[in-house]
Amino acid sequence: MSINLAILWHMHQPYYFDPLKNKFILPWVRLHATKDYLDMLLILEEFQDVKVTFNVVPSLLKQIREYENGATDLFMEITLIPAEELKDEQKIFILENFFLANWQTMIYPFPRYRELLEKRGKSYGDLSKTIKKFTTQEFRDLQVLFNLVWIDPLHRENDKFLKELERKGREYTEEEKNLLINKQIEILKKIIPLYKKMTLSKQIELSVSPFYHPILPLIYDNFKAKEPMPNVVLPKYRFIAPEDAKKQINRAIEYFEKTFGFKPHGMWPSEGSVSEEVIELIRDSKISWIATDEEILSKSLGEKLREGDRVLAPEKFYSVYEFKGVKIFFRDKILSDLIGFVYSGWQHNYAVNDFIGRLKKISYKDNIIIPVILDGENAWEYYEKDGLDFLRTLYKSLSEDKEIRTVTFSEYLSENPPVKSLRRVFPGSWINANFSIWIGHEEDNLSWDYLYQTRQDLIKYQNENPSKDLSNAWEEIYIAEGSDWNWWYGDEHYTETKDVFDEIYRHHLINVYREIGKEPPSYLYAPISKKMREIKPDIEPKGFIYPKIDGKVTGYFEWLEAGKYVLKRFGGSMHKSEGLLSELYYGFNKKFLYIRLDPSCPIEDFKDFSIQIQIIEPVRMKILWRYPEEFAQIIKQENEEWIKNYEIENVALDSIFEIEIPLETIGIKEEENIYLFVEILMNNHTIERAPSVGFIKIHVPNPEFDKLMWL
C-alpha cells in the first residue's frame, strides 16, 4: 500500500494593464516570471520520479505572451532610464517602490541593498527631501538590485552574467542594467515552452482557472453569498450573470488549448470557489475534475471531518467525490497551509521531515488521495533562497520514500479509484468556506454595484445598437469581474499598492463607457477605498481671496490665504514619472471659487494641453479650457447629456494657470461641499490628474467666514 500525494501549485496574477494609461502598471508578472514560474519547473525536473500539477490562469499566460512580444511596465520603464537622466519625480518613485521585496530574505542578503534601504529609512516622510541624499550611482544600483533580487537564486547560480552581477554587489553600469532586463525577458520566454514539454513527458499536469480569475458563484449570482453567510450585508443591486461565468470558463479552455496545443482535464475554480450551479457549467465545458477546500466537503456532508489537526474519518476525507458528473478533490488545508505559511520560518530539513511525518501518520487504506493545494508563487519570498533548499529536499524525500507516491490528478483518476457521490455542494471558497473576502464589506459592495451598473449600461447600449462590435467593452467587464480587485477592498488584506488596484479596476469600468462613446459616471473617478477618497490639503484656506486673473503671481499676498495641495506627494505607484503640475491652490470669497495650477514643466509645453476641472458633487459638471481660447466652457450633465451652457471669461495662462468661477453660475450654495479634481488633456485623453487619486473637497463657507478666521 502507498499514500497517493497530489500536489498542485496555483500560478496566478491579475491583469495589470491599465486601459487609460495604455501600459502595464505593476511589474509582478515579469518579476514572478523570473523568480517563480520557470525555476519551479527546473527544480522539479531534477527529480524525474516526482509528479506535480500546475494550475495556470489565462490572465497570467496572456501577460507572459504580451511581455514576450515587447510589452513593458511602469517599473521597467523607470528602471531603463539612465540614472543621470532621472527627474525628481522618478527618483521619488524609485525610493518609494524599489524596496517592494521581502526585506529579510531578499534585501538583507545584499549588503548594498540593505545599506540603501537604511539610508532611505524603513519608514519615511517627505521623499522629495530624501532624494537629495542619494547619488546618481546609488539610484543606478537601486535600479539594478530591485530587478536582480527578483530573479531566483537558481538562475543566479547557473547564469554566468547573473552570478557576476550578484558577486559585484554595487557600482553597476548602465550596460549591466540593460543586460539584466534583457535577461529577465530571456527567462520569461522559456516558461510556456517548458510547461508544455513537461506536460507531454507526463511529469506534470496542467490545469486551468476561469480566464480573469473571477469568483464564479458570485458572478453567477452574487446574492448566493447569503447561503454560507446568512448575516452578510449584500450590495444594493443583485448581480446575476451566468452567461459571463460560462464565458470565463470556456474562454479559459480555448486560450489554454491555443497556448499549449491540448485541452485541460482539470480546473481549479478561482480561490477554490464552488456552487452547484457553477459545477454544472464546468461539466458542460467537458472539464473532468475540479478541486476545492476540505471545509466545503465537511459542510456538504454535514459532518465534522477534523478535530484540531487530527482527521476523524480519513476514508471520507481523502476520497474522490462526484457531483453532476464532475469529479471533485478536497485539499488538506493543514498540510497545504504549513507549506504556504509556516515552514518558511523553519530550517528546511526539519520542515520536510515534519511534512513527511504528518503524511505517514494518516491512517489510510490503499487508494486514498491526499491533495495538497496552495499558491505556487507568493510563499517562496518568505523562504531563504526563495524556497530552493526546501523544494529540493522535499522532492528528494518524496522520490526516495517507498510509502509515498506522487501523482497528478488525472493520472489518479485514470486508475479508476472508488468515487463517492455528493448529494449537494455547499457554496464557498477555500477561505472559511464562504465569500467574505469578496463581498459584504462596504467597499466590496460598492465595487459590485459599480460593476452591475456598468454592465447594465453596456447591455442597454448593446440592445440599442445590435450591429455594433462591442467585444472590447465586454472584455473590460470580464477583466473587472476578476477576484483580485475585491481581494484588496475592505479591511482583510493590505498592500502598499492598494491604490493602484483600486484605480486599475475603476479604469476598466471607465473604459467600458469610452468604448461605447458615453460619459463615465462621476463616481468612477473617486477611489472606492474610503481611506483614499478625500485628499487633505497641505494648507487649509485661512480667509477670502481676491486674486487678479492674469496668469501671473502678481503679489505675495494674492494667494496667501488660499488652500494648497503639493501634488508631488500624491506620486505613489500610479503617478506619472514626470508630472506636468507641481501645486494646486484653491480659494474663494462670497461670489467666486478660484483655482490656480502651477506647472512643473516649461510653460511652452503646457500650452499643448487642455485643462479640465471635473466637479462630481453636488452637481455634475466640467469646466474646460483650451489654449489659447480666452474663455472656459461650463458643461453640465442633464439627463445623461452634456450641455454647454455658460462661458467663463476670467481665465488666464502665463507663468501659472488661474480661473475665477462664479459660484452662482455653477449652482453652488454656501455651506455646500464641492468635490472636484483637475485633468490635463491631450487630444481629449487624460494624461495627468490632480490629485492622482481621490478628489479635493472644498467647503463653501458662509459670508462670515473671513471674520471668523480672525477671531
Side-chain angles (χ1 to χ4, degrees):
M1 295 199 303
S2 62
I3 299 170
N4 293 295
L5 174 66
I7 298 174
L8 182 148
W9 303 119
H10 172 57
M11 303 300 199
H12 163 59
Q13 291 293 329
Y15 197 64
Y16 293 118
F17 187 79
D18 187 322
L20 302 194
K21 298 182 184 297
N22 197 35
K23 67 175 66 175
F24 288 103
I25 301 300
L26 292 173
W28 307 125
V29 168
R30 173 173 58 90
L31 298 184
H32 278 289
T34 58
K35 193 179 80 68
D36 299 304
Y37 302 137
L38 183 61
D39 67 278
M40 287 286 285
L41 294 167
L42 293 173
I43 296 168
L44 181 65
E45 209 174 22
E46 297 174 15
F47 305 92
Q48 293 291 313
D49 293 334
V50 178
K51 297 185 178 181
V52 167
T53 299
F54 285 87
N55 186 80
V56 289
V57 182
S59 60
L60 167 62
L61 295 173
K62 185 172 188 282
Q63 290 174 95
I64 289 174
R65 284 297 195 209
E66 287 164 339
Y67 275 107
E68 288 177 354
N69 293 326
T72 63
D73 57 68
L74 182 58
F75 285 61
M76 185 195 293
E77 291 175 2
I78 290 180
T79 293
L80 290 172
I81 296 171
E84 294 85 355
E85 299 175 15
L86 288 167
K87 304 292 192 296
D88 284 356
E89 287 287 301
Q90 295 157 347
K91 291 177 180 178
I92 290 171
F93 183 97
I94 288 172
L95 290 189
E96 188 168 19
N97 293 285
F98 278 36
F99 295 103
L100 291 178
N102 185 290
W103 293 357
Q104 190 68 40
T105 60
M106 298 172 71
I107 292 180
Y108 291 172
F110 289 76
R112 173 66 156 175
Y113 206 2
R114 181 170 188 167
E115 170 192 322
L116 296 173
L117 172 61
E118 291 171 349
K119 184 170 184 175
R120 183 205 67 172
K122 295 176 183 178
S123 59
Y124 56 89
D126 187 355
L127 291 178
S128 64
K129 296 177 181 177
T130 308
I131 60 173
K132 295 176 171 46
K133 302 176 184 177
F134 280 74
T135 67
T136 297
Q137 184 61 56
E138 286 173 327
F139 277 110
R140 184 182 296 113
D141 285 355
L142 254 181
Q143 289 173 310
V144 170
L145 287 165
F146 173 67
N147 287 278
L148 180 61
V149 304
W150 277 93
I151 295 179
D152 190 82
L154 184 68
H155 303 314
R156 302 200 305 258
E157 285 178 4
N158 296 332
D159 184 277
K160 183 178 179 181
F161 168 71
L162 294 175
K163 191 171 186 177
E164 173 58 24
L165 217 57
E166 181 174 357
R167 185 205 62 77
K168 185 177 181 182
R170 61 177 62 221
E171 304 297 323
Y172 296 113
T173 67
E174 289 295 329
E175 181 184 11
E176 288 171 328
K177 183 176 70 177
N178 291 328
L179 288 172
L180 174 61
I181 296 300
N182 291 339
K183 184 65 67 173
Q184 286 184 331
I185 302 304
E186 179 185 316
I187 292 169
L188 183 144
K189 287 181 177 180
K190 296 177 180 178
I191 296 168
I192 290 176
L194 190 54
Y195 270 135
K196 183 175 181 179
K197 174 189 170 186
M198 293 181 70
T199 304
L200 294 176
S201 73
K202 300 191 183 303
Q203 187 177 4
I204 70 170
E205 177 178 8
L206 285 179
S207 58
V208 72
S209 290
F211 202 101
Y212 287 111
H213 207 260
I215 304 299
L216 284 180
L218 300 184
I219 298 300
Y220 196 104
D221 178 359
N222 68 352
F223 279 24
K224 189 74 172 178
K226 196 81 171 174
E227 192 171 334
M229 305 156 59
N231 298 319
V232 69
V233 177
L234 292 168
K236 179 179 178 181
Y237 301 108
R238 187 171 189 170
F239 186 95
I240 303 176
E243 61 272 34
D244 288 14
K246 183 176 181 180
K247 179 74 75 172
Q248 295 270 12
I249 293 168
N250 291 339
R251 281 195 56 205
I253 295 168
E254 291 166 6
Y255 192 86
F256 183 102
E257 184 176 17
K258 180 182 176 182
T259 302
F260 297 111
F262 49 85
K263 289 184 177 181
H265 297 294
M267 174 173 285
W268 170 252
S270 315
E271 307 291 353
S273 298
V274 293
S275 68
E276 293 180 356
E277 299 84 355
V278 162
I279 291 174
E280 291 187 40
L281 291 180
I282 293 172
R283 175 201 62 197
D284 294 343
S285 71
K286 310 302 182 187
I287 288 290
S288 302
W289 64 264
I290 63 171
T292 183
D293 188 68
E294 65 175 62
E295 287 189 50
I296 301 295
L297 176 60
S298 179
K299 290 180 180 294
S300 298
L301 295 174
E303 296 182 33
K304 188 176 181 180
L305 297 176
R306 187 190 288 278
E307 195 169 79
D309 65 353
R310 184 171 68 89
V311 175
L312 299 178
E315 69 283 356
K316 290 185 178 180
F317 196 136
Y318 300 118
S319 292
V320 186
Y321 288 81
E322 185 174 49
F323 182 82
K324 299 288 186 179
V326 178
K327 307 294 191 302
I328 309 176
F329 296 89
F330 296 91
R331 74 168 190 142
D332 185 304
K333 188 184 193 75
I334 287 183
L335 289 174
S336 303
D337 287 353
L338 282 168
I339 296 176
F341 305 110
V342 178
Y343 287 153
S344 57
W346 296 17
Q347 199 277 336
H348 64 271
N349 286 314
Y350 182 53
V352 170
N353 288 339
D354 182 78
F355 183 79
I356 299 294
R358 286 172 179 270
L359 287 174
K360 292 185 176 182
K361 284 180 183 177
I362 295 170
S363 174
Y364 66 90
K365 296 179 181 179
D366 204 14
N367 282 324
I368 67 165
I369 180 77
I370 303 177
V372 172
I373 301 172
L374 67 149
D375 186 288
E377 55 204 351
N378 292 315
W380 308 120
E381 66 189 78
Y382 297 94
Y383 282 74
E384 289 187 6
K385 296 176 67 176
D386 205 44
L388 178 61
D389 292 336
F390 172 81
L391 285 169
R392 277 179 168 157
T393 304
L394 175 64
Y395 291 153
K396 183 175 187 294
S397 297
L398 291 174
S399 65
E400 294 174 351
D401 198 295
K402 303 303 181 184
E403 296 179 55
I404 302 171
R405 170 183 176 240
T406 55
V407 294
T408 66
F409 292 85
S410 290
E411 177 187 18
Y412 182 72
L413 289 176
S414 70
E415 298 167 357
N416 300 308
V419 176
K420 296 179 170 63
S421 294
L422 282 175
R423 294 182 179 180
R424 68 183 290 255
V425 172
F426 187 84
S429 73
W430 66 348
I431 302 174
N432 302 321
N434 61 36
F435 306 110
S436 62
I437 298 295
W438 303 276
I439 195 168
H441 188 280
E442 177 189 359
E443 293 175 5
D444 294 328
N445 291 349
L446 196 59
S447 166
W448 279 106
D449 286 339
Y450 287 2
L451 177 62
Y452 170 87
Q453 191 58 61
T454 304
R455 190 176 184 278
Q456 290 300 111
D457 289 344
L458 176 56
I459 290 171
K460 179 183 176 184
Y461 183 84
Q462 181 175 259
N463 291 338
E464 294 169 351
N465 302 271
S467 62
K468 285 205 172 184
D469 179 9
L470 299 176
S471 55
N472 289 339
W474 277 107
E475 194 71 15
E476 300 290 353
I477 292 290
Y478 301 143
I479 294 170
E481 290 173 345
S483 70
D484 296 271
W485 319 117
N486 279 24
W487 179 270
W488 299 113
Y489 290 134
D491 303 320
E492 300 95 343
H493 300 112
Y494 170 77
T495 176
E496 295 94 333
T497 53
K498 181 172 182 175
D499 60 325
V500 182
F501 281 93
D502 185 26
E503 188 162 42
I504 295 175
Y505 172 72
R506 289 180 291 103
H507 282 186
H508 285 298
L509 298 183
I510 288 170
N511 213 38
V512 173
Y513 290 96
R514 295 193 171 189
E515 288 288 340
I516 63 177
K518 298 285 187 180
E519 181 66 26
S522 60
Y523 54 74
L524 291 180
Y525 290 100
I528 290 171
S529 177
K530 291 176 67 176
K531 295 178 182 177
M532 296 183 293
R533 291 180 191 174
E534 180 187 337
I535 305 301
K536 300 293 185 183
D538 294 82
I539 299 174
E540 296 275 2
K542 296 185 289 290
F544 287 156
I545 63 172
Y546 302 88
K548 180 181 179 181
I549 305 302
D550 56 4
K552 302 174 184 178
V553 181
T554 308
Y556 172 76
F557 295 100
E558 190 178 33
W559 287 87
L560 184 62
E561 304 296 302
K564 176 182 175 181
Y565 290 86
V566 178
L567 298 174
K568 289 182 179 180
R569 74 181 174 91
F570 303 120
S573 301
M574 291 295 290
H575 198 63
K576 284 171 59 62
S577 57
E578 183 176 0
L580 296 167
L581 301 173
S582 62
E583 295 168 328
L584 183 152
Y585 293 79
Y586 71 96
F588 36 71
N589 54 44
K590 295 177 183 179
K591 294 184 177 180
F592 299 100
L593 168 68
Y594 297 94
I595 301 291
R596 163 183 159 184
L597 302 172
D598 288 16
S600 59
C601 61
I603 202 67
E604 292 75 19
D605 296 342
F606 204 76
K607 292 176 182 178
D608 293 334
F609 309 117
S610 301
I611 297 172
Q612 181 165 268
I613 301 168
Q614 288 231 31
I615 298 176
I616 55 180
E617 286 185 23
V619 291
R620 183 75 172 99
M621 69 176 64
K622 302 175 183 177
I623 299 169
L624 177 64
W625 179 77
R626 295 186 178 92
Y627 180 84
E629 293 178 355
E630 296 180 354
F631 57 86
Q633 297 174 336
I634 293 180
I635 310 168
K636 287 189 176 181
Q637 189 177 42
E638 298 179 8
N639 300 321
E640 297 189 359
E641 297 291 329
W642 287 95
I643 301 171
K644 299 176 184 178
N645 63 358
Y646 194 78
E647 293 179 354
I648 296 175
E649 295 182 357
N650 277 348
V651 57
L653 173 69
D654 193 327
S655 60
I656 60 174
F657 172 82
E658 296 177 302
I659 187 169
E660 179 184 78
I661 305 168
L663 292 171
E664 183 179 358
T665 300
I666 62 175
I668 307 295
K669 302 178 180 64
E670 63 183 57
E671 300 292 354
E672 283 191 316
N673 293 323
I674 304 173
Y675 299 91
L676 62 83
F677 58 89
V678 178
E679 294 175 295
I680 308 300
L681 308 176
M682 176 180 279
N683 300 323
N684 295 321
H685 291 289
T686 302
I687 62 168
E688 183 157 319
R689 186 184 190 277
S692 57
V693 297
F695 52 76
I696 293 168
K697 174 184 173 182
I698 300 174
H699 181 72
V700 179
N702 64 44
E704 302 301 313
F705 172 77
D706 216 25
K707 294 179 182 178
L708 292 171
M709 295 303 290
W710 284 97
L711 292 177

